Amino acid sequence: MSVLGKVFTLKQPESDRLLGLESASEYRERWISIRVIYYMGFVIYLAFGIVATSMWPYLKSLDPAAEKVFLTYVFAIPSVLQLVFSPLFGWWNNRLKSIRLPIMFFLVTFVLGHVLYATIEQINFHGKHMLLLSRGLIGMSTVACTIYRAYMSSATTVAERTKAMSFLSLAQTGGLLGGSALQPIFSLLGEKGFIFIGLFRVNMYTGVAWFCTVLGCINLVLMMPFIFKDHQIALKEAIKGLDTKTTKAVWKSSKLEYLPINLMLASFALLMFAYTAIQTLLSPIALDQFGWSNEDSLFYLGILMTVGALISCILFLLLDPMCKRFTESNVLVYGAMFALFVSQLLLIPFGSDPITSVANEGNFTDGNSTITTIPGCPATQEWCQWIPPIGKVQFTISYTLLCVSFSIGTTLSQAVFSKLLGPRPQGTWMALLTCAGSAARILGPGSVTIYVLFGTYWTFGAGTILAGLVFLWMWFYRDSLQPAKPAVTAELAEELKVLNSTKLRQ
C-alpha cells in the first residue's frame, strides 16, 4: 500500500527539496502533468487491448469473404503509420517548447479513428477497407507514444526515471487489463446489440469503440494548459550550478555507447514482435486448435488476457524494489529475455496425435437455413493433419511467461535506453525506439501468414531461436548497460552522488 501511496501523493519529498531544482508548486505541477501522461498511456493501450480478440470476428461480420491474411494488414497498419511518422514528429518535438500541440493532434485522430470504427456498418461501403482506414487513424494516434516517452525522459530526474517508467508501463498494462476485462463484458451485447437513438448500432464490436471515443475526449480536456504544463527537470539536473551557455556542452559531453543502445533497441523490438504476434494469433489458435466459437474465444481469451495483465501490474509495482535488490541488467536479462525464450519454447506442440477437429473454413447452411461457422482447424491448412495441437495448459503457461517478459522487458529497456542517452534531448532517439517497436509490430502480425502456411512448428520454432540469440547477446554484454556520464564539474559529480543515494542501481 505504501507503494501505491507514493503514486498518488503530490507532496515534494525532503530529499527532492534539498536539491533546489524546483519549488513545491513546480513539483506538484510536474507530477500532475506526468499523471496525465500515465492516463494517456492507459487510454492508448486500452484501445489496443479492447479489440485484440474481437478484430477477427468483427472483420468476418463486415466481410464474410475476408481471409486471415487481411487480418495481418488490419493489425499491421497502425505500426506502419507509427514507423513512418515517428521520426518526423520526434524531430519536431525536439524543436518545440511544449508537447501539447502534437499530443492534441494525435488525440483528435484517436477519436476520429474510433468513431469511424464504430460506424462502418452505417457507412455500408467497403467494410473491410473502412476497418483498415479506421485502424490507420488509430495507428497515427499511437505516434503519441514517441512524444510522451521523450517527455518522461525530460520530466524526471535520473533517480526518478526507473520508477516513473514503471508506473507508465503499469498504466499501459492497466489499459490492456481494462481492455481485456471489458471485452468479455461488451461481448454480452452480442452481435445484434441495440440501435442507439435510432442511428448507430451498439454491439460487442462497436460498443468498445464508442467507449474509447469518450476516453479520448477526456484526454483532450486533460491536455488543456490549466492542467498539463511542460517541465524539463532532467536538463536542470544536469546543468545545475553551471553557466546556462554550457547547456549543449553538457549533454554533448555524454559519450554514447552504441553497442548497448543497439542492444536495447533489439530487445525492445523483439518483445514487441513476440507480444504482437501472440496477440494476433490468439483468436486463430483458439478457433483452430481448441475448436471454440467466436463468443467462447472472446470470453475465455478475455479472461486469459485479464489474468496476464494482472500479473504484469503486480510486477510493475515490484519492479523498483527488484532493481534495488538486483541490478537492472540482471532483472532485464533473466526476468525478461530468458522468460521470453521459455515462453516461445513452450508454444512448440509435442505429442503424436494430430489436431482431430479438421473442418472446412467458412459458412454453411444447416437444415433450418441458419448461417453458421464451422469451428476447428480448416482443411486448407494441410499441416493440421499431422502437427499435434497446442495444449491449453501449455498455451496458458506460455502466455503468462510472455506477459512477465513483456512487462519487465519493455519497461527496463526504455528506462536503460533513456539513461544510456544521458541528459540530451531525446525526441529523435525515442522516435528511433518507437520505430524499432513499430517495425516489430508490423512483422508480428505477419506470423499469421507463417501460421496459416506452415503451422506451429515453424511459427514458434523461429521465435524460440530468435529469443535465444538475443538472450545470449544481452547476457554477454549485460555489464555495459550503464547510464551515460556527462563530463562536467566536480560539483555536479557530487550532486549526482546525492541523486544516487537511494542506491538504485543505474
Side-chain angles (χ1 to χ4, degrees), residues 10-51:
L10 292 174
K11 183 179 179 181
Q12 185 178 26
E14 183 65 19
S15 59
D16 185 271
R17 187 187 65 80
L18 292 175
L19 293 176
L21 297 175
E22 60 188 348
S23 65
S25 61
E26 288 173 333
Y27 178 88
R28 179 182 176 84
E29 287 179 353
R30 180 166 67 92
W31 279 98
I32 288 176
S33 298
I34 289 175
R35 281 157 175 73
V36 172
I37 299 300
Y38 290 164
Y39 175 78
M40 186 182 307
F42 170 83
V43 171
I44 290 177
Y45 275 71
L46 180 140
F48 173 78
I50 204 169
V51 298

Side-chain angles (χ1 to χ4, degrees), residues 173-245:
T173 303
L176 292 175
L177 171 61
S180 57
L182 286 171
Q183 182 62 84
I185 296 175
F186 279 102
S187 68
L188 299 177
L189 294 173
E191 293 196 56
K192 185 176 180 180
F194 63 92
I195 303 298
F196 181 68
I197 62 174
L199 295 176
F200 307 114
R201 180 178 297 279
V202 179
N203 59 16
M204 65 181 186
Y205 306 130
T206 62
V208 296
W210 289 119
F211 182 71
C212 290
T213 299
V214 173
L215 295 181
C217 291
I218 294 173
N219 209 155
L220 279 169
V221 174
L222 293 175
M223 285 303 299
M224 293 293 104
F226 58 87
I227 298 178
F228 181 88
K229 300 181 187 298
D230 288 82
H231 288 270
Q232 307 295 325
I233 194 71
L235 190 57
K236 288 183 180 180
E237 176 189 31
I239 66 174
K240 184 178 184 295
L242 300 176
D243 190 292
T244 55
K245 293 181 180 179

Side-chain angles (χ1 to χ4, degrees), residues 297-376:
S297 67
L298 286 180
F299 182 77
Y300 291 114
L301 291 178
I303 293 175
L304 178 64
M305 293 172 67
T306 301
V307 173
L310 280 172
I311 293 173
S312 297
C313 289
I314 295 172
L315 284 171
F316 289 133
L317 293 175
L318 297 176
L319 192 55
D320 186 57
M322 281 194 296
C323 290
K324 292 178 180 179
R325 177 65 179 83
F326 309 100
T327 64
E328 284 185 350
S329 57
N330 281 334
V331 175
L332 182 58
V333 170
Y334 299 108
M337 304 316 299
F338 183 71
L340 178 64
F341 169 73
V342 177
S343 168
Q344 294 295 300
L345 183 65
L346 284 175
L347 283 174
I348 300 177
F350 57 88
S352 56
D353 296 330
I355 301 174
T356 56
S357 179
V358 179
N360 291 321
E361 186 177 29
N363 297 327
F364 77 100
T365 305
D366 63 13
N368 297 323
S369 299
T370 302
I371 303 299
T372 311
T373 300
I374 304 176

Side-chain angles (χ1 to χ4, degrees), residues 104-132:
M104 293 192 72
F105 169 77
F106 294 132
L107 288 174
V108 169
T109 61
F110 178 88
V111 171
L112 292 177
H114 281 97
V115 170
L116 177 59
Y117 187 96
T119 56
I120 295 176
E121 183 181 350
Q122 281 68 45
I123 296 173
N124 194 25
F125 178 77
H126 290 279
K128 70 177 185 179
H129 295 105
M130 296 302 292
L131 178 63
L132 189 65

Side-chain angles (χ1 to χ4, degrees), residues 396-416:
T396 302
I397 296 174
S398 172
Y399 185 79
T400 302
L401 285 174
L402 177 65
C403 291
V404 171
S405 65
F406 182 79
S407 56
I408 293 177
T410 54
T411 301
L412 288 184
S413 60
Q414 290 178 72
V416 173

